Every structure is written in C-alpha cells, then in structure tokens.
C-alpha cells in the first residue's frame, strides 16, 4: 500500500510569516499536532509542531506574535506520495518524528502522522 492511501490529503499549510499564536490556534482548530510551513511561492520550507511552539513561548522574551519561521523545523523529513507505507513508517521511527509532509514532486499534498500509521497497522492486525 502507498503512503498517499493513508495520509491526510489536502492538508492545511501555513505561511512562514504567520504568527506563532495563529499557528497554534489553527492547529488546535484542526485538531492536529503539526502543520507544514510554506513560503510565498507555496514551497515547503519547514514544519511546526505544537510542542515546539509551546516550548518557544515558555522562554522569556518570546512572544505569540513572532513569526512561525523562528520556531519551525527547517530540515523537513518528507515522503513522496507513491512511497510504500513500511518505508515511510521506518523513516518516521528512524528520525524520531511524529509527522511528515507528503509530497508529489515539490508540492505538499498531505501529511502522514504516527496516528495514521497506527490506525493502518491496527486495522490489518485484526484481519
């Protein structure tokens, strides 16, 4: 099975200039732990997760109106939409991350999370 078959396709992205507060609000509204970050040309430049945002905000002098670009992970581990689920699951585990953007070429088309993978494996474990 391919990763595009279990990922959340057409996921929301945010611009690198959006505030940390707005990024957190959006993640909370969407009930997601991470969201891909794009530049003005809609190209992937990072990913931000709630834990990074909350850690940032607990430090003195860090404010909610700072751009998410300051807290995002810039070296993004990704998957191509036509990759095998096992390959991508190993990549998540090897890099100790909870989510990664799914791309078609250079375009973000979705995101795959640990939850997506667990749901997949649990579904087929009962078969």
């Amino acid at each position: 099975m391919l990763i595009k078959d279990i990922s959340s396709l057409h996921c929301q992205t945010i611009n690198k200039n959006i505030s940390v507060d707005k990024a957190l609000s959006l993640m909370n509204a969407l009930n997601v732990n991470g969201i891909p970050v794009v530049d003005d040309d809609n190209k992937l430049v990072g990913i931000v997760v709630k834990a990074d945002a909350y850690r940032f905000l607990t430090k003195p002098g860090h404010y909610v109106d700072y751009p998410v670009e300051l807290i995002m992970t810039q070296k993004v581990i990704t998957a191509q939409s036509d990759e095998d689920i096992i390959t991508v699951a190993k990549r998540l585990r090897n890099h100790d991350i909870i989510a990664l953007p799914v791309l078609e070429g250079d375009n973000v088309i979705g995101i795959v999370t640990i939850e997506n993978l667990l749901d997949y494996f649990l579904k087929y474990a009962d078969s």
Side-chain angles (χ1 to χ4, degrees):
M1 185 170 281
L2 302 179
I3 201 65
K4 69 181 176 183
D5 297 326
I6 69 160
S7 62
S8 302
L9 297 180
H10 308 294
C11 74
Q12 180 75 41
T13 60
I14 57 172
N15 185 280
K16 65 181 182 173
N17 297 314
I18 194 172
S19 70
V20 172
D21 185 47
K22 286 183 181 176
L24 275 172
S25 293
L26 182 60
M27 285 187 277
N28 286 329
L30 295 171
N31 196 30
V32 297
N33 287 319
I35 195 163
V37 181
V38 296
D39 63 15
D40 293 334
D41 296 322
N42 217 31
K43 296 298 178 196
L44 182 68
V45 294
I47 190 166
V48 64
V49 295
K50 284 181 185 178
D52 292 337
Y54 289 128
R55 264 193 300 275
F56 174 81
L57 292 173
T58 62
K59 296 179 183 173
H62 292 178
Y63 302 101
V64 295
D65 61 346
Y66 278 34
V68 76
E69 181 177 30
L70 294 176
I71 65 166
M72 70 184 188
T73 299
Q74 294 180 17
K75 291 186 178 186
V76 184
I77 308 300
T78 63
Q80 286 294 319
S81 62
D82 60 353
E83 285 189 89
D84 178 72
I85 288 174
I86 300 297
T87 301
V88 176
K90 288 177 182 177
R91 187 172 305 139
L92 273 169
R93 185 68 181 119
N94 290 339
H95 291 279
D96 195 26
I97 54 178
I98 63 167
L100 55 80
V102 177
L103 308 176
E104 274 190 0
D106 292 334
N107 299 316
V108 178
I109 64 154
I111 192 164
V112 66
T113 66
I114 288 175
E115 290 87 0
N116 296 132
L117 291 167
L118 274 173
D119 289 345
Y120 169 79
F121 289 117
L122 290 172
K123 177 180 177 181
Y124 289 101
D126 291 337
S127 300

